[in-house]
Amino acid sequence: NRLFYIIIHLIRRIVNFNSFKIVSYLGHNVIYIAKFGKLCYTTFQKGLIFMDLKNTLAELSALPGVSGGESDVANYLAARLSDCDISMDRLGNLTALRRCGRENAPLLMVEAHIDEVGFIITSVTDGGFLKFAPVGSPDFRTLPDSEVLVLSDPPLPGVVSCLPPHLQDQSAMNKYAKTDSMAIDVGLSPETAKKAVKPGTYAISKPRPTLELINGRIGSKALDNRLSAAVIVDAAERVGDDLSC
């Protein structure tokens, strides 16, 4: 129960519980908690000091973790939760179990997905451009001119390119570009690009420092759902071994 209440309080510090839309965006686990947020919040004493989650969230959101390639994020979380019983299955699902020491004690699961939307390279054109397909559901309207990081070895910065407006006809200018008309430009010659980037390589939105907005709001890539992952890590570290059941 203590872990549950701590998570409630930490989430209240990040989002406004009066806005269900914002809370529901964080994932189903937060929706369920939000329904009881006001009731559980009254169990806390005033004056409790909680650490700032911004650093943890910034580190988590900067990591690459396209669906199917979340190992960097999982390894980070495993290191932060090293005092728990850690296990990882073949699909990359990470489980951190904190025991209270009593047999047949009730179980509480707090979960969050750690993957993010991104792209997968499908081919390299004769001009050296990287054709790609979406992984998940990125907003195609914002892709042209956006900066990406191609997760080759070593990673390559790139920009999403498409036919410029002055070369389009009027009908094309009034429509959003589709992915089959876009490509990633990494600045390499065709020969070098084909050697450096193989089909199946992932790409993500370029990691940037967390953008701090007014009124305590922040902006970053992969906030869905690294935000909940950061809250879980902080709550588990805060509880420590003092887990009564």
Side-chain angles (χ1 to χ4, degrees), residues 92-148:
N93 295 305
L94 177 71
T95 301
L97 180 62
R98 176 65 57 78
R99 302 180 186 275
C100 72
R102 182 166 67 86
E103 292 185 4
N104 301 318
L107 296 176
L108 170 66
M109 183 180 76
V110 185
E111 57 83 24
H113 72 82
I114 58 175
D115 61 336
E116 63 184 292
V117 298
F119 318 98
I120 188 169
I121 306 304
T122 56
S123 63
V124 181
T125 71
D126 291 338
F129 293 95
L130 312 182
K131 300 297 289 184
F132 64 91
V135 178
S137 302
D139 190 343
F140 302 116
R141 298 170 300 177
T142 65
L143 289 185
D145 296 331
S146 62
E147 295 180 75
V148 298

Coordinates of all heavy atoms in Angstrom, one line a residue, residues 92-148:
G92 N 12.4 -9.1 -24.0 CA 12.9 -7.8 -23.4 C 12.0 -7.2 -22.3 O 12.3 -6.1 -21.9
N93 N 11.0 -8.0 -21.8 CA 10.2 -7.5 -20.7 C 11.0 -7.6 -19.4 O 11.5 -8.7 -19.1 CB 8.9 -8.3 -20.6 CG 8.0 -8.1 -21.8 OD1 7.7 -7.0 -22.2 ND2 7.7 -9.2 -22.5
L94 N 11.1 -6.5 -18.7 CA 11.9 -6.4 -17.5 C 11.0 -6.5 -16.3 O 10.0 -5.8 -16.2 CB 12.7 -5.1 -17.4 CG 13.5 -4.9 -16.2 CD1 14.7 -5.8 -16.1 CD2 14.0 -3.4 -16.1
T95 N 11.3 -7.4 -15.4 CA 10.5 -7.5 -14.1 C 11.5 -7.3 -12.9 O 12.5 -7.9 -12.9 CB 9.9 -8.9 -14.0 OG1 9.0 -9.1 -15.1 CG2 9.1 -9.0 -12.7
A96 N 11.1 -6.4 -12.1 CA 11.8 -6.1 -10.8 C 10.9 -6.4 -9.7 O 9.9 -5.7 -9.4 CB 12.3 -4.6 -10.8
L97 N 11.2 -7.4 -8.9 CA 10.4 -7.9 -7.8 C 11.0 -7.5 -6.5 O 12.1 -7.7 -6.2 CB 10.3 -9.4 -7.9 CG 9.4 -10.1 -6.8 CD1 8.0 -9.6 -6.9 CD2 9.5 -11.6 -6.9
R98 N 10.2 -6.7 -5.7 CA 10.5 -6.4 -4.4 C 9.7 -7.2 -3.4 O 8.5 -7.1 -3.4 CB 10.3 -4.9 -4.2 CG 10.5 -4.3 -2.8 CD 12.0 -4.4 -2.4 NE 12.9 -3.7 -3.3 CZ 13.0 -2.4 -3.3 NH1 12.4 -1.6 -2.5 NH2 13.9 -1.8 -4.2
R99 N 10.4 -8.0 -2.5 CA 9.7 -8.9 -1.6 C 9.6 -8.2 -0.2 O 10.5 -7.5 0.2 CB 10.5 -10.2 -1.5 CG 10.6 -10.9 -2.9 CD 11.4 -12.2 -2.7 NE 11.6 -12.9 -4.0 CZ 10.8 -13.6 -4.6 NH1 9.6 -13.9 -4.1 NH2 11.1 -14.2 -5.8
C100 N 8.5 -8.6 0.5 CA 8.4 -8.1 1.8 C 8.8 -9.1 2.9 O 8.8 -8.8 4.1 CB 6.9 -7.6 2.1 SG 5.7 -9.0 2.2
G101 N 9.0 -10.4 2.5 CA 9.4 -11.4 3.4 C 8.3 -12.2 4.0 O 8.7 -13.2 4.7
R102 N 7.1 -12.0 3.7 CA 6.0 -12.8 4.2 C 5.4 -13.7 3.1 O 5.2 -13.2 2.0 CB 4.9 -11.9 4.8 CG 3.7 -12.7 5.4 CD 2.8 -11.9 6.2 NE 2.1 -10.9 5.5 CZ 1.0 -11.1 4.9 NH1 0.4 -12.3 4.9 NH2 0.4 -10.1 4.2
E103 N 5.3 -15.0 3.4 CA 4.7 -15.9 2.4 C 3.3 -15.5 2.1 O 2.5 -15.1 3.0 CB 4.8 -17.3 2.9 CG 6.3 -17.8 3.0 CD 6.3 -19.3 3.3 OE1 5.2 -19.9 3.4 OE2 7.4 -19.8 3.5
N104 N 2.9 -15.8 0.8 CA 1.5 -15.5 0.4 C 1.0 -14.1 0.6 O -0.2 -13.9 0.8 CB 0.5 -16.5 1.1 CG 0.9 -18.0 0.8 OD1 1.2 -18.3 -0.3 ND2 0.8 -18.8 1.9
A105 N 2.0 -13.2 0.6 CA 1.6 -11.8 0.7 C 0.9 -11.3 -0.5 O 1.1 -11.9 -1.6 CB 2.8 -10.9 1.0
P106 N 0.0 -10.3 -0.4 CA -0.7 -9.8 -1.6 C 0.3 -9.2 -2.6 O 1.3 -8.7 -2.2 CB -1.7 -8.8 -1.1 CG -1.1 -8.4 0.2 CD -0.5 -9.6 0.8
L107 N 0.0 -9.3 -3.9 CA 0.9 -8.8 -4.9 C 0.4 -7.5 -5.5 O -0.9 -7.4 -5.7 CB 1.1 -9.8 -6.0 CG 1.8 -11.1 -5.7 CD1 1.8 -12.0 -6.9 CD2 3.2 -10.9 -5.2
L108 N 1.2 -6.5 -5.7 CA 0.9 -5.3 -6.4 C 1.8 -5.1 -7.6 O 3.0 -5.1 -7.4 CB 1.0 -4.1 -5.4 CG 0.9 -2.7 -6.1 CD1 -0.5 -2.5 -6.6 CD2 1.3 -1.6 -5.1
M109 N 1.2 -5.0 -8.8 CA 2.0 -4.8 -10.0 C 1.8 -3.4 -10.5 O 0.7 -2.9 -10.6 CB 1.6 -5.8 -11.1 CG 2.5 -5.6 -12.3 SD 2.1 -6.7 -13.7 CE 0.6 -6.0 -14.3
V110 N 2.9 -2.7 -10.7 CA 2.9 -1.4 -11.3 C 3.7 -1.5 -12.6 O 4.9 -1.9 -12.6 CB 3.6 -0.3 -10.3 CG1 3.4 1.0 -10.9 CG2 2.9 -0.4 -9.0
E111 N 3.1 -1.2 -13.7 CA 3.7 -1.4 -15.0 C 3.7 -0.2 -15.9 O 2.9 0.7 -15.7 CB 3.1 -2.6 -15.7 CG 1.6 -2.5 -16.0 CD 1.2 -1.7 -17.2 OE1 2.1 -1.6 -18.1 OE2 0.1 -1.1 -17.3
A112 N 4.6 -0.2 -16.8 CA 4.7 0.9 -17.8 C 5.4 0.3 -19.0 O 6.4 -0.5 -18.9 CB 5.4 2.1 -17.3
H113 N 5.0 0.7 -20.2 CA 5.7 0.3 -21.4 C 6.9 1.2 -21.6 O 6.8 2.4 -21.2 CB 4.8 0.2 -22.6 CG 4.4 1.5 -23.2 ND1 5.2 2.3 -24.0 CD2 3.3 2.2 -23.0 CE1 4.6 3.4 -24.3 NE2 3.4 3.4 -23.7
I114 N 8.0 0.7 -22.1 CA 9.2 1.6 -22.3 C 9.6 1.8 -23.7 O 10.6 2.4 -24.0 CB 10.4 0.9 -21.5 CG1 10.7 -0.5 -22.0 CG2 10.1 0.9 -20.0 CD1 11.9 -1.1 -21.4
D115 N 8.9 1.3 -24.7 CA 9.2 1.5 -26.1 C 8.7 2.8 -26.5 O 8.0 3.5 -25.8 CB 8.7 0.4 -26.9 CG 7.1 0.3 -26.9 OD1 6.6 0.7 -25.9 OD2 6.5 -0.2 -27.8
E116 N 9.1 3.2 -27.7 CA 8.7 4.5 -28.3 C 8.5 4.3 -29.8 O 9.0 3.3 -30.4 CB 9.8 5.5 -28.1 CG 11.1 5.2 -28.8 CD 12.2 6.2 -28.5 OE1 12.1 7.4 -29.0 OE2 13.2 5.9 -27.8
V117 N 7.7 5.2 -30.4 CA 7.5 5.1 -31.8 C 8.9 5.5 -32.5 O 9.7 6.3 -32.0 CB 6.4 6.1 -32.3 CG1 5.1 5.7 -31.7 CG2 6.7 7.5 -31.9
G118 N 9.0 5.0 -33.7 CA 10.3 5.3 -34.5 C 10.1 4.9 -35.9 O 9.0 4.8 -36.4
F119 N 11.3 4.5 -36.4 CA 11.3 4.1 -37.9 C 12.3 2.9 -38.0 O 13.1 2.7 -37.2 CB 11.8 5.3 -38.7 CG 11.2 6.6 -38.3 CD1 11.9 7.5 -37.5 CD2 9.9 6.9 -38.7 CE1 11.3 8.7 -37.1 CE2 9.4 8.1 -38.3 CZ 10.1 9.0 -37.5
I120 N 12.1 2.2 -39.1 CA 13.0 1.1 -39.5 C 13.4 1.3 -41.0 O 12.6 1.6 -41.8 CB 12.3 -0.3 -39.3 CG1 13.4 -1.4 -39.5 CG2 11.1 -0.5 -40.2 CD1 12.9 -2.7 -39.0
I121 N 14.7 1.3 -41.2 CA 15.2 1.5 -42.6 C 14.8 0.3 -43.4 O 15.1 -0.9 -43.1 CB 16.7 1.7 -42.6 CG1 17.1 2.8 -41.6 CG2 17.2 2.0 -44.0 CD1 16.4 4.1 -41.9
T122 N 14.3 0.5 -44.6 CA 13.9 -0.6 -45.5 C 14.8 -0.7 -46.7 O 14.9 -1.8 -47.2 CB 12.4 -0.3 -46.0 OG1 12.4 1.0 -46.7 CG2 11.4 -0.3 -44.9
S123 N 15.5 0.4 -47.1 CA 16.4 0.3 -48.2 C 17.2 1.5 -48.3 O 16.9 2.6 -47.7 CB 15.7 0.1 -49.6 OG 14.8 1.2 -49.8
V124 N 18.3 1.5 -49.1 CA 19.1 2.6 -49.4 C 19.1 2.9 -50.9 O 19.4 2.0 -51.7 CB 20.6 2.4 -48.9 CG1 21.4 3.7 -49.2 CG2 20.6 2.1 -47.4
T125 N 18.7 4.1 -51.3 CA 18.5 4.3 -52.7 C 19.8 4.5 -53.4 O 20.9 4.7 -52.7 CB 17.6 5.6 -52.9 OG1 18.4 6.7 -52.5 CG2 16.4 5.5 -52.1
D126 N 19.8 4.5 -54.7 CA 21.1 4.7 -55.5 C 21.6 6.1 -55.2 O 22.8 6.4 -55.5 CB 20.8 4.5 -56.9 CG 20.5 3.1 -57.3 OD1 20.9 2.2 -56.5 OD2 19.9 2.8 -58.3
G127 N 20.8 7.0 -54.7 CA 21.2 8.4 -54.4 C 21.8 8.5 -53.0 O 22.2 9.6 -52.6
G128 N 21.7 7.4 -52.2 CA 22.3 7.5 -50.8 C 21.2 7.8 -49.8 O 21.6 8.0 -48.6
F129 N 20.0 7.9 -50.2 CA 18.9 8.3 -49.2 C 18.4 7.0 -48.6 O 18.3 5.9 -49.2 CB 17.8 9.0 -49.9 CG 18.2 10.4 -50.4 CD1 18.6 10.6 -51.7 CD2 18.2 11.5 -49.5 CE1 19.0 11.8 -52.1 CE2 18.5 12.7 -49.9 CZ 18.9 12.9 -51.2
L130 N 17.9 7.1 -47.3 CA 17.4 5.9 -46.6 C 15.9 5.9 -46.6 O 15.3 6.8 -46.1 CB 17.9 6.0 -45.1 CG 19.4 6.2 -44.9 CD1 19.7 6.2 -43.4 CD2 20.3 5.3 -45.6
K131 N 15.3 4.9 -47.2 CA 13.9 4.8 -47.2 C 13.5 4.1 -45.9 O 14.3 3.3 -45.4 CB 13.4 4.0 -48.4 CG 13.8 4.6 -49.7 CD 13.1 5.9 -50.0 CE 11.6 5.8 -50.2 NZ 10.9 7.1 -50.5
F132 N 12.4 4.4 -45.4 CA 12.0 3.9 -44.1 C 10.5 3.6 -44.0 O 9.7 4.1 -44.8 CB 12.4 4.9 -43.0 CG 11.7 6.2 -43.1 CD1 10.5 6.5 -42.4 CD2 12.2 7.3 -43.8 CE1 9.8 7.7 -42.5 CE2 11.6 8.5 -43.9 CZ 10.4 8.7 -43.3
A133 N 10.2 2.9 -42.9 CA 8.8 2.6 -42.6 C 8.6 2.9 -41.1 O 9.5 2.9 -40.3 CB 8.4 1.1 -42.9
P134 N 7.3 3.3 -40.7 CA 7.1 3.6 -39.3 C 7.1 2.4 -38.4 O 6.7 1.3 -38.9 CB 5.7 4.3 -39.4 CG 5.1 3.7 -40.6 CD 6.1 3.4 -41.6
V135 N 7.5 2.6 -37.2 CA 7.4 1.6 -36.2 C 6.5 2.2 -35.1 O 6.9 3.2 -34.5 CB 8.7 1.1 -35.5 CG1 8.5 0.1 -34.4 CG2 9.7 0.6 -36.6
G136 N 5.3 1.7 -35.0 CA 4.3 2.4 -34.2 C 3.6 3.4 -35.0 O 3.4 3.2 -36.3
S137 N 3.1 4.5 -34.4 CA 2.3 5.5 -35.1 C 2.9 6.9 -34.9 O 2.3 7.7 -34.2 CB 0.9 5.4 -34.6 OG 0.3 4.2 -34.8
P138 N 4.0 7.2 -35.6 CA 4.5 8.6 -35.5 C 3.6 9.5 -36.3 O 2.8 9.1 -37.1 CB 5.9 8.5 -36.2 CG 5.8 7.3 -37.1 CD 4.9 6.3 -36.4
D139 N 3.6 10.8 -35.9 CA 2.8 11.8 -36.6 C 3.5 12.2 -37.9 O 4.4 12.9 -37.9 CB 2.6 13.0 -35.7 CG 1.5 14.0 -36.3 OD1 1.2 13.9 -37.4 OD2 1.1 14.8 -35.5
F140 N 2.9 11.7 -39.0 CA 3.6 11.9 -40.3 C 3.5 13.4 -40.7 O 4.3 13.8 -41.5 CB 2.9 11.0 -41.4 CG 2.9 9.6 -41.1 CD1 1.7 8.9 -40.9 CD2 4.1 8.9 -41.1 CE1 1.8 7.5 -40.6 CE2 4.1 7.5 -40.8 CZ 3.0 6.9 -40.6
R141 N 2.6 14.1 -40.2 CA 2.5 15.5 -40.5 C 3.7 16.3 -40.1 O 4.1 17.4 -40.6 CB 1.3 16.2 -39.9 CG 0.0 15.5 -40.3 CD -1.2 16.0 -39.5 NE -1.0 15.6 -38.1 CZ -1.9 16.0 -37.1 NH1 -3.0 16.7 -37.4 NH2 -1.7 15.6 -35.9
T142 N 4.4 15.8 -39.0 CA 5.6 16.6 -38.5 C 6.9 16.0 -39.0 O 8.0 16.6 -38.6 CB 5.6 16.5 -37.0 OG1 5.7 15.2 -36.5 CG2 4.2 17.0 -36.4
L143 N 6.9 15.0 -39.8 CA 8.2 14.4 -40.2 C 9.1 15.2 -41.1 O 10.3 15.2 -41.0 CB 7.9 13.0 -40.8 CG 7.4 11.9 -39.9 CD1 7.3 10.6 -40.6 CD2 8.4 11.8 -38.7
P144 N 8.5 15.8 -42.2 CA 9.4 16.5 -43.1 C 10.3 17.6 -42.4 O 9.8 18.3 -41.5 CB 8.4 17.2 -44.1 CG 7.2 16.3 -44.1 CD 7.1 15.8 -42.7
D145 N 11.6 17.6 -42.7 CA 12.6 18.5 -42.1 C 12.9 18.1 -40.6 O 13.7 18.8 -40.0 CB 12.1 19.9 -42.1 CG 12.0 20.4 -43.5 OD1 12.7 19.9 -44.4 OD2 11.1 21.3 -43.8
S146 N 12.3 17.1 -40.0 CA 12.6 16.7 -38.7 C 14.0 16.0 -38.6 O 14.4 15.3 -39.5 CB 11.5 15.8 -38.1 OG 11.4 14.6 -38.8
E147 N 14.6 16.2 -37.5 CA 16.0 15.6 -37.3 C 15.8 14.2 -36.6 O 15.0 14.0 -35.7 CB 16.8 16.4 -36.4 CG 17.2 17.8 -37.1 CD 18.1 18.6 -36.2 OE1 19.3 18.3 -36.1 OE2 17.5 19.6 -35.6
V148 N 16.6 13.2 -37.1 CA 16.5 11.9 -36.5 C 17.9 11.4 -36.2 O 18.9 12.0 -36.6 CB 15.8 10.9 -37.5 CG1 14.4 11.3 -37.8 CG2 16.6 10.8 -38.9

